[in-house]
């Protein structure tokens, strides 16, 4: 009985990972165009990616635009989320709808809209133009993540902080923000990834001047199937894996001392404060439990 | 006359069409431990939140030390609060939590830490300063919350059902602990609970809440012995409530619906014919022939047939029919030995055990 779900899990994982087994080897390939299996291996295309301005410039553009989008998104979404989640006001339902609406819109429709609208503002082919368009696309997801976090936030933490003498501003800074930090981080990360990954709108409005990496990849695969594409794909995958795995690894490393404690072993040195004889030692109070 | 330390007058609060408070007034002396006791939804938390400044009263005022709090924001009120769910900052250690109010007041770090550690000692958690809240038990978290609410020497300490989430043994231990700490610091305290035994054991005075109002304020003994409404009599302790009408106010005679004539210890401040409710605590009813010093004369007696026997170990609760109504009797120790369901008993009580609650 237990074998079937396990087998299914392995199959799904294999299916998802399958492209990697093709893309990663191809990035080290010596073939002049995308070709599998690779006839030989070298690092030439990695060198090409990091030195060729036709690749580095779109990468820099994409990073600038993604960071800009992330910053602008969070700047807009943070107050909007607090307003919509915490306050009752006229038009709240409408605000909620407008904040999530772009998610339901096909990107191609939005792209055409941005093309003419940003064109009028002379913002096509500029970083700012792409940032504005990407922000509109990032807002819904950032808003949804942040509002889910905020809804689960215990208001008594803020009440406690204020009763203890913190002004509303300091309460936000010392309590609300740090407690919601994971929510903010994930929200911002998604805004970043959304922008970095976005292709359709970028093709329409980024132009030569602010060409993004996905747009460059799209164009180069259309023209010549440049193997550098597999290099970029591999690097992107590695970056994402790193971002996702880092917190998991970090947590596993940090948790360990407590587990030792629970097992009755000696606590790790860094966990035992100088004045603390032994935090694992049973005491009057610990016997409560 | 000297002003009371905390003066709450005429608080009302409406949430739309819901009236949460319908005129709450009370005075609290400096250093006093007052408990708000009442069922869920009776307005205890709302009153506390208005005192703390997190809710605005629809009308009424709160004064501390003669000063109105109405224009003072929560962070400037110098009031310590302990919440039922502890509300410890999860990103700060126990010590950092306790230091927080001192940091907010600009106390130098070294002094703040010294004071925080002294508070840790006071709540019996000296070695726990570097623990994270999530690594502490409920009772320990509650102590840290208490230490945090006291370290800045608040002018008032508010506790909203602080022991509600703890199991019975730990609860009793914390009751004693909170009382000890409160006494040693002499801080004026308002403690909210819906548990009457908790209120009885901890309080200097109890304010009994019902439907957004305070029915009665008094010492535990006063609210227990002389409840001013049937609600208070029912909510605090076990009671027999006997509806009746005043027969002769000067002689203290009342005709009850079910048990006939009753004689009260003193004259009644009500006109003949006025409706009245008599309260008789189950433990002040005795078996006839066993009650030393209780007059065996009618009227304060009844014949009952027992239908339920509930043993409590140290005492036994008997419930029997008398005159068409149930009468609850609590007998101590071995007095109830041999009494089973179906037994016919003759019981009596001293006039002094009867308390008359005027009809409202
Ligand atoms: N924010 C609110 N909105 C609407 N009604 C509320 C709100 N807070 C409290 N109430 C109502 O006010 C009444 C008193 O509540 P509360 O003070 O919390 O009672 P208690 O603490 O005694 O259980 C209840 O009927 C409750 O439903
Ligand atoms: Mg409450």
């Amino acid at each position: 009985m237990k074998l079937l779900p396990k087998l299914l899990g392995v199959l799904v994982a294999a299916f998802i990972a399958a492209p990697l087994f093709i893309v990663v080897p191809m990035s080290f390939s010596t073939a002049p165009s995308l070709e599998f299996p690779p006839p030989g291996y070298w690092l030439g295309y990695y060198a090409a990616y990091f030195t060729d301005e036709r690749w580095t410039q779109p990468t820099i553009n994409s990073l600038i635009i993604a960071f800009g989008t992330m910053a602008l998104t969070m700047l807009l979404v943070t107050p909007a989320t607090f307003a919509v989640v915490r306050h009752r006001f006229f038009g709240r339902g409408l605000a909620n709808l407008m904040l999530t609406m772009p998610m339901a819109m096909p990107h191609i429709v939005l792209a055409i809209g941005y093309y003419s609208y940003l064109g009028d503002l002379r913002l096509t082919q500029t970083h700012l133009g792409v940032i504005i368009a990407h922000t509109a696309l990032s807002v819904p997801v950032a808003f949804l993540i942040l509002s889910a976090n905020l809804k689960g936030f215990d208001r008594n933490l803020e009440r406690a902080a204020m009763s203890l003498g913190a002004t509303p501003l300091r309460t936000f800074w010392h309590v609300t923000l740090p407690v919601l930090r994971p929510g903010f981080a994930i929200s911002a990360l998604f805004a970043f990834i959304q922008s970095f990954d976005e292709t359709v709108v970028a093709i329409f409005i980024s132009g030569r001047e602010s060409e993004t990496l996905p747009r460059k990849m799209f164009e180069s695969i259309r023209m010549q199937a440049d193997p550098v594409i597999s290099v970029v794909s591999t690097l992107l995958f590695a970056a994402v894996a790193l971002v996702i795995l880092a917190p998991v690894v970090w947590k596993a490393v940090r948790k360990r001392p407590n587990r030792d404690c629970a097992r009755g072993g000696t606590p790790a040195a860094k966990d035992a404060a100088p004045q603390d004889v032994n935090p694992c030692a049973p005491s009057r109070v610990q016997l409560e439990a | 006359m000297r002003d009371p330390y905390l003066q709450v007058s005429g608080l009302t609060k409406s949430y739309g069409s819901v009236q949460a408070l319908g005129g709450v007034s009370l005075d609290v002396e400096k250093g006093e431990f007052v408990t708000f006791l009442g069922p869920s939804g009776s307005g205890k938390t709302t009153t506390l939140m208005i005192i703390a400044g997190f809710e605005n009263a629809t009308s009424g005022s709160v004064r501390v030390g003669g000063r109105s709090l109405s224009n003072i924001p929560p962070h400037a009120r110098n009031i310590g609060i302990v919440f039922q769910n502890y509300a410890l900052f999860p990103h700060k250690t126990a010590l950092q939590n306790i230091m927080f109010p001192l940091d907010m007041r600009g106390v130098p770090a070294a002094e703040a830490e010294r004071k925080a550690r002294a508070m840790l000692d006071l709540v019996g958690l000296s070695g726990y300063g570097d623990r994270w809240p999530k690594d502490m038990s409920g009772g320990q978290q509650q102590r840290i919350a208490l230490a945090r609410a006291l370290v800045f020497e608040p002018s008032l300490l508010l506790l909203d059902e602080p022991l509600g989430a703890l199991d019975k043994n730990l609860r009793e231990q914390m009751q004693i602990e909170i009382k000890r700490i409160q006494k040693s610091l002499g801080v004026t305290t308002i403690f909210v609970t819906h548990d009457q035994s908790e209120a009885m054991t901890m309080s200097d005075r109890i304010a009994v809440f019902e439907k957004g109002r305070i029915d009665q304020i008094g010492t535990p003994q006063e609210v227990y012995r002389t409840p001013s409404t049937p609600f208070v009599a029912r909510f605090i302790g076990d009671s027999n409530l006997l509806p009746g009408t005043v027969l002769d106010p000067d002689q203290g005679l009342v005709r009850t619906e079910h048990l006939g004539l009753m004689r009260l210890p003193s004259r009644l401040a009500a006109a003949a014919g006025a409706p009245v409710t008599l309260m008789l605590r189950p433990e002040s009813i005795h078996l006839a022939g066993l009650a030393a010093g209780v007059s065996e004369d009618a009227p304060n007696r009844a014949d009952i047939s027992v239908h339920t026997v509930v043993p409590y170990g140290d005492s036994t609760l008997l419930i029997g029919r008398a005159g068409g109504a149930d009468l609850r009797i609590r007998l101590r120790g071995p007095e109830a030995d041999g009494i089973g369901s179906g037994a016919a008993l003759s019981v009596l009580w001293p006039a002094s055990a009867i308390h008359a609650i005027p009809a409202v």
Side-chain angles (χ1 to χ4, degrees), chain B residues 220-281:
Chain B
Q221 212 172 65
E222 279 165 3
V223 292
Y224 186 78
R225 293 207 180 146
T226 56
S228 61
T229 67
F231 175 82
V232 175
R234 266 194 301 267
F235 201 76
I236 298 181
D238 199 3
S239 62
N240 294 294
L241 292 178
L242 312 167
T245 45
V246 176
L247 207 61
D248 182 343
D250 293 324
Q251 302 258 340
L253 282 177
V254 171
R255 180 170 296 286
T256 61
E257 255 172 58
H258 304 290
L259 296 182
L261 208 60
M262 294 249 189
R263 186 186 300 282
L264 272 63
S266 55
R267 64 177 305 277
L268 274 162
V276 68
T277 301
L278 299 186
M279 182 201 71
L280 190 53
R281 294 290 184 190

Side-chain angles (χ1 to χ4, degrees), chain A residues 112-124:
Chain A
I112 292 167
Y114 292 135
Y115 185 75
S116 59
Y117 180 65
L118 294 174
D120 288 348
L121 295 172
R122 304 198 174 285
L123 285 174
T124 43

Side-chain angles (χ1 to χ4, degrees), chain B residues 283-305:
Chain B
E283 70 273 17
S284 50
I285 302 178
H286 306 273
L287 296 178
L290 283 178
V294 177
S295 151
E296 301 246 344
D297 297 348
N300 294 340
R301 60 183 303 151
D303 294 313
I304 67 166
S305 68

Side-chain angles (χ1 to χ4, degrees), chain A residues 154 156-168 170 174-175 178-179 258 261 271 273-276 279-281 283-286 288-289, chain B residues 49 54 74-75 79 81 83 85 87-92 100-101 103-105 117 124-125 127-128 130-131 135 137 139-140 143 148 152 170 173:
Chain A
D154 177 13
N156 278 350
L157 290 178
E158 288 176 345
R159 293 204 178 106
M162 282 191 245
S163 76
L164 297 169
T167 59
R170 297 178 95 182
H174 289 287
V175 175
V179 173
N258 290 333
C261 202
D271 224 33
Q275 80 291 340
D276 221 339
C280 298
S283 77
R284 181 170 68 89
V285 189
Q286 223 178 25
E288 281 168 5
Chain B
M49 289 299 112
F54 298 124
H75 67 265
I79 293 176
I81 308 182
F83 296 93
N85 64 355
L88 293 180
F89 305 134
H91 59 296
K92 291 177 183 291
F100 183 81
D103 292 344
M104 290 301 113
R105 285 166 174 75
R117 289 205 185 278
L125 289 178
Y128 288 72
D130 296 310
R131 287 273 182 115
D135 295 333
S137 73
Q140 292 169 346
R143 284 165 204 254
R148 186 180 68 175
F152 59 99
L170 186 50
Q173 198 182 328

Side-chain angles (χ1 to χ4, degrees), chain B residues 304-324:
Chain B
I304 67 166
S305 68
V306 177
H307 61 71
T308 306
V309 178
V310 187
Y312 281 90
D314 58 340
S315 66
T316 306
L317 177 69
L318 306 176
I319 306 174
R321 293 301 278 183

Side-chain angles (χ1 to χ4, degrees), chain B residues 5-16:
Chain B
Y5 184 64
L6 167 68
Q7 191 171 28
V8 175
S9 26
L11 287 187
T12 68
K13 174 72 184 178
S14 303
Y15 292 105

